[in-house]
Amino acid sequence: MSSTRDSFTALGFCGADDSVDPQFLGLLSQAYPFIEFGVLFRPDKEGTPRYASPAWVEELKAVARKSNGRMKLAAHLCGTRVNDILQRGEASFLKSLDGFFGRCQINATAVNGVDTSDLSGSVPNLLTVIGTLPNMEFIIQKNEETSPLWSGLLSSPGGLPSNVTFLLDESKGTGVFPGGWDKSMLPVRYNQCKIGFAGGIGPSNIQKVMKGLSSCNLEISYWIDMESSLRSIKNDVDVFDLDKCFKCIKKIISMEFFEHPEYISLP
């Protein structure tokens, strides 16, 4: 597993919200710096399950500030946060996250509350924002619905910017497993050094997913991301379940992709 271990860069847990203490996320990040917590940003749903409140995000940023770079965070933009970028080239919100969130995912789909009527015409605005924040990595969902956007980026005169990567998620963020992936799914002219995979991944199938990806001979680095499978109802409340996150961590480590810190000894 050694060669594939070197190619696997991050284990993404999306949907961190007010149901968990940001300091607890900080502790996990210190022990397992290969995990990346994703925060969904959609103004009309702030403070509801899956969508963190602004006050909680400020607490998270304070924890990240003291993590010495070990806490990896990704901003998953939805709704008007995406519309502001695609329709107006507005980058002020992302600038407020720069330095805390290393990556930003653009969820440009209707199910995520985004106006998708002119994705192809939005490419210039998106490129402007991408160029404004060269130290932030931009993740573009690659699926049939977002084709005008990602294909437009690939065919832009300057080519795909170096700080842009794609996430293969045909479920469009709805958590439906596609059955697997293979090398043929990588887009033509995609010359970046890594790519992401999402859609129906969780504690019950993460080992199957990783075995499948390991056999694909991708020849580039990759990460996986999950969201829906990490939710639980506890005390009648929809929560981001860190127990499920830790099950995924343990299963990844059992496959020898990473290791527990030396002060923890688990089978």
Side-chain angles (χ1 to χ4, degrees):
M1 196 75 71
S2 59
S3 61
T4 52
R5 178 176 59 188
D6 294 339
S7 300
F8 182 53
T9 62
L11 175 59
F13 297 138
C14 183
D17 58 18
D18 293 46
S19 66
V20 294
D21 192 320
Q23 293 181 336
F24 198 172
L25 303 187
L27 288 172
L28 281 174
S29 296
Q30 290 296 323
Y32 304 101
F34 57 87
I35 61 178
E36 178 184 71
F37 289 110
V39 180
L40 291 157
F41 289 96
R42 180 171 170 174
D44 61 323
K45 294 192 174 186
E46 288 176 349
T48 65
R50 303 194 192 205
Y51 301 89
S53 67
W56 186 92
V57 172
E58 289 304 311
E59 290 183 35
L60 181 66
K61 287 164 66 174
V63 173
R65 184 183 295 113
K66 297 180 179 179
S67 73
N68 293 320
R70 291 178 71 85
M71 188 175 213
K72 295 181 175 63
L73 299 175
H76 291 233
L77 305 191
C78 306
T80 56
R81 294 299 185 197
V82 175
N83 291 337
D84 287 344
I85 291 172
L86 299 185
Q87 297 174 2
R88 290 176 285 282
E90 174 57 56
S92 58
F93 177 71
L94 282 182
K95 288 180 180 178
S96 73
L97 303 180
D98 192 24
F100 301 98
F101 288 74
R103 303 208 293 173
C104 165
Q105 182 169 308
I106 306 295
N107 294 326
T109 58
V111 73
N112 283 301
V114 174
D115 179 359
T116 60
S117 60
D118 187 22
L119 291 181
S120 59
S122 301
V123 172
N125 284 336
L126 178 56
L127 284 170
T128 296
V129 173
I130 290 170
T132 300
L133 294 158
N135 295 321
M136 182 175 284
E137 180 180 319
F138 285 78
I139 305 167
I140 307 299
Q141 268 195 21
K142 181 191 177 296
N143 52 54
E144 183 180 3
E145 183 179 5
T146 60
S147 177
L149 195 62
W150 58 261
S151 61
L153 288 171
L154 285 172
S155 60
S156 61
L160 196 63
S162 60
N163 61 329
V164 172
T165 53
F166 286 178
L167 175 79
L168 305 190
D169 182 9
E170 200 55 51
S171 78
K172 306 174 183 65
T174 60
V176 178
F177 184 55
W181 298 269
D182 59 60
K183 192 175 179 180
S184 67
M185 296 179 178
L186 270 64
V188 178
R189 301 192 308 279
Y190 185 78
N191 57 0
Q192 308 298 64
C193 62
K194 61 181 175 179
I195 197 161
F197 299 91
I201 305 173
S204 65
N205 67 353
I206 189 170
Q207 289 177 311
K208 175 184 176 181
V209 167
M210 295 306 295
K211 287 177 182 177
L213 291 173
S214 297
S215 66
C216 285
N217 297 316
L218 294 172
E219 299 179 353
I220 59 174
S221 298
Y222 62 98
W223 80 92
I224 61 172
D225 192 69
M226 62 194 77
E227 179 192 332
S228 299
S229 65
L230 301 178
R231 308 305 300 185
S232 290
I233 301 298
K234 295 186 176 182
N235 298 319
D236 297 322
V237 178
D238 181 352
V239 302
F240 181 70
D241 195 337
L242 290 175
D243 290 332
K244 290 183 175 180
C245 293
F246 196 60
K247 285 181 180 179
C248 291
I249 291 171
K250 289 200 294 184
K251 288 184 177 183
I252 285 289
I253 288 175
S254 73
M255 299 179 72
E256 301 182 351
F257 281 95
F258 298 102
E259 298 178 345
H260 287 293
E262 60 182 13
Y263 52 83
I264 292 180
S265 177
L266 293 174

